[in-house]
Amino acid sequence: MNVNSFAEQIQFMQGRLHNIYQGASAASKLQPDLLPLVFKELGVVSEELQVAVEELQKQNVELASTQTTVESERQRYQELFEFAPYGYLVTDTAGVIQEANQVAAKQLNVSQRYLIGKPLIVFIAEQERQSFHLQLLQLQTLEQVKEWKVSLYPRHGELSQASVMGTVIRDR
């Protein structure tokens, strides 16, 4: 339910409560002490609900502001990543490429969109693949940045040496 709809329902309920309270004077002849207490309690609950609505509206404004800030920071990160002077790849723990910047795509001679989802190991020289895989496994147990050299075969390119720096980021 959205907050504005909730607020409208609260206001409608308050109006109905007011009408009931005004029309209840005839019914109060049956139990004169009970009915005003019930309406008073309903009025208190209604006011508490109104305060809750106002707090929800305030939190929604804060949430929207935070979301704008987060989106701005994400965009900033994306631009820094994309236009970095070095090739950057983000992989999952199995070495499957999740993100690649323009420089990495150029170095591997593959369009960025085609790099996503590809195992990085397909660009590693065949004789080094097992070692590279072991390095990735070791990296998962370390709490530090690790650097090692690999021989890369860019698509339709020649063998070149690259330095790989890796660390594990533990989040969702």
Side-chain angles (χ1 to χ4, degrees):
M1 170 184 289
N2 90 27
V3 176
N4 293 331
S5 173
F6 184 57
E8 288 174 12
Q9 289 178 1
I10 298 274
Q11 287 176 340
F12 178 73
M13 183 198 72
Q14 286 175 332
R16 287 185 60 198
L17 181 61
H18 180 72
N19 292 339
I20 291 170
Y21 186 72
Q22 287 181 338
S25 61
S28 66
K29 294 176 185 173
L30 300 174
Q31 290 185 332
D33 295 341
L34 181 61
L35 204 53
L37 290 174
V38 168
F39 284 122
K40 184 177 180 180
E41 186 65 29
L42 283 172
V44 169
V45 169
S46 175
E47 288 173 8
E48 289 175 357
L49 284 171
Q50 186 62 39
V51 168
V53 164
E54 290 168 5
E55 182 62 30
L56 281 172
Q57 288 171 331
K58 179 184 169 194
Q59 289 176 1
N60 269 359
V61 168
E62 290 172 0
L63 185 60
S65 174
T66 300
Q67 187 173 3
T68 299
T69 300
V70 166
E71 180 57 30
S72 174
E73 289 299 315
R74 187 203 64 75
Q75 183 64 32
R76 182 172 174 260
Y77 159 79
Q78 192 63 40
E79 288 170 2
L80 287 171
F81 178 80
E82 190 60 38
F83 299 110
Y86 301 105
Y88 286 102
L89 298 169
V90 176
T91 70
D92 62 11
T93 55
V96 176
I97 299 169
Q98 305 295 307
E99 293 181 61
N101 71 355
Q102 292 177 6
V103 174
K106 187 174 181 179
Q107 288 171 336
L108 295 173
N109 203 23
V110 177
S111 170
Q112 280 178 281
R113 67 177 187 217
Y114 294 122
L115 280 174
I116 308 305
K118 282 211 182 323
L120 178 56
I121 206 158
V122 300
F123 298 103
I124 305 295
E126 200 168 324
Q127 65 273 16
E128 294 181 26
R129 288 181 180 178
Q130 185 175 7
S131 171
F132 181 78
H133 184 69
L134 290 173
Q135 296 281 0
L136 282 181
L137 289 174
Q138 281 181 344
L139 191 60
Q140 293 177 38
T141 62
L142 298 175
E143 297 292 327
Q144 62 191 34
V145 176
K146 183 175 182 173
E147 183 175 1
W148 69 95
K149 302 277 187 215
V150 294
S151 299
L152 287 179
Y153 270 117
R155 184 171 164 234
H156 306 300
E158 296 191 18
L159 182 68
S160 64
Q161 292 297 308
S163 179
V164 174
M165 291 182 85
T167 189
V168 175
I169 300 172
R170 300 186 197 294
D171 68 3
R172 293 189 288 147

